[in-house]
Amino acid sequence: MKIDIISVVPGLLESPFAHSIMKRARDKGLLEVTCYNLRDYTNYPRAQVDDYQFGGGAGMVMMIEPLVNAIESLQAKTNYDEIIYLTPDGERLNQKTANQLSLKNNLLLICGHYKGIDERVREHFITKEISIGDYVLSGGELAAAVMVDAIGRLIPGVLNDETSALTDSFQDNLLAPPVYTRPEVFRDWKVPDILLSGNHAKVEEWRQEQALQRTKERRPDLLD
Ligand code: 6GU
């Protein structure tokens, strides 16, 4: 999968994909992430990319020309399945959307800043608008990093144990059950006996129960 990202602060996106699972995905050639600096696509003096909003009011708006220059020059090289604008007023990202997006080949992400982007870009180019939660970030970059991570780890071959994404929280609308590792006893805190029983069917049944109980307690909304 190829993910291109347009940003005014591309430096913010250097580290998130340079470690751990995202790094492995890129090293294996399963995920290609490229960041483009919006300032490279403006013809305004001093690399200007934002301006005051018509109608007045506090806060700058990202201008249409640099964004359209950037989008169209990238579109000339790649046929995008989705052009996604990261914005707090977008559709809230969840596991279902991450699963769907992980099946795409080419994505273009646009990171907003200031008061957002000129509405005409949204009307004419953006195919999907995504928020990562009900709070406001300074820009779309961290949201883009979250989204790329959530999607990238679902690409077949990225995770070591290919079944492990299937047992993640949310995959079946349930939170994940508790997990334990060595030692069996720490102070007087024991690992549940069932997990040491070697009875795989019983273990599975216990995990299922725990997942359901945990979901009822913490996120009953997932069960509706
Ligand atoms: Cl995608 N962008 C910004 N700026 N803030 C957010 C967000 C996105 N999602 C939640 N808050």
Side-chain angles (χ1 to χ4, degrees):
M1 172 185 288
K2 179 171 147 76
I3 302 181
D4 291 337
I5 308 178
I6 298 173
S7 162
V8 282
V9 206
L12 267 178
L13 290 161
E14 275 161 24
S15 161
F17 314 122
H19 306 278
S20 178
I21 291 172
M22 291 302 105
K23 174 171 167 32
R24 203 166 67 224
R26 296 173 87 181
D27 290 348
K28 281 185 173 175
L30 298 169
L31 174 64
E32 188 188 330
V33 184
T34 315
C35 298
Y36 295 88
N37 190 339
L38 184 63
R39 294 187 197 281
D40 294 338
Y41 296 89
T42 181
N43 297 315
Y44 286 97
R46 285 168 277 108
Q48 185 183 352
V49 293
D50 60 326
D51 208 343
Y52 297 100
Q53 52 180 314
F54 283 128
M60 307 293 272
V61 174
M62 289 168 70
M63 304 165 89
I64 191 166
E65 296 112 310
L67 280 166
V68 171
N69 285 344
I71 293 168
E72 288 185 338
S73 96
L74 293 173
Q75 274 180 321
K77 291 180 288 184
T78 303
N79 187 14
Y80 294 105
D81 299 299
E82 300 278 6
I83 301 183
I84 302 172
Y85 174 43
L86 282 309
T87 175
D89 60 359
E91 164 198 336
R92 191 119 47 95
L93 181 65
N94 58 26
Q95 196 63 41
K96 181 166 168 239
T97 310
N99 288 342
Q100 286 166 351
L101 291 173
S102 75
L103 303 173
K104 307 287 185 185
N105 293 316
N106 301 304
L107 300 177
L108 177 58
L109 312 187
I110 317 270
C111 302
H113 261 264
Y114 322 111
K115 283 283 163 202
I117 66 177
D118 190 297
E119 187 68 18
R120 292 166 290 185
V121 178
R122 300 172 73 157
E123 286 168 14
H124 297 285
F125 291 90
I126 302 298
T127 62
K128 205 173 185 57
E129 302 188 322
I130 288 184
S131 158
I132 63 162
D134 292 343
Y135 41 83
V136 175
L137 302 169
S138 321
E141 284 76 13
L142 296 181
V146 165
M147 201 176 89
V148 171
D149 188 298
I151 294 169
R153 61 194 295 286
L154 297 172
I155 299 169
V158 168
L159 294 180
N160 272 342
D161 177 356
E162 278 221 41
T163 63
S164 72
L166 298 175
T167 58
D168 285 343
S169 278
F170 304 113
Q171 277 301 2
D172 42 14
N173 268 351
L174 290 179
L175 301 181
V179 292
Y180 300 85
T181 186
R182 292 193 300 171
E184 280 178 31
V185 184
F186 177 79
R187 299 188 181 159
D188 58 351
W189 307 326
K190 248 192 122 286
V191 170
D193 287 330
I194 186 89
L195 296 178
L196 311 171
S197 68
N199 184 333
H200 293 300
K202 284 276 177 218
V203 167
E204 201 37 54
E205 195 180 310
W206 180 86
R207 287 183 171 148
Q208 217 35 61
E209 276 166 24
Q210 292 287 315
L212 188 59
Q213 189 185 322
R214 190 159 270 204
T215 310
K216 275 183 187 156
E217 283 166 13
R218 302 181 182 192
R219 292 294 305 279
D221 57 297
L222 293 175
L223 300 170
D224 293 344

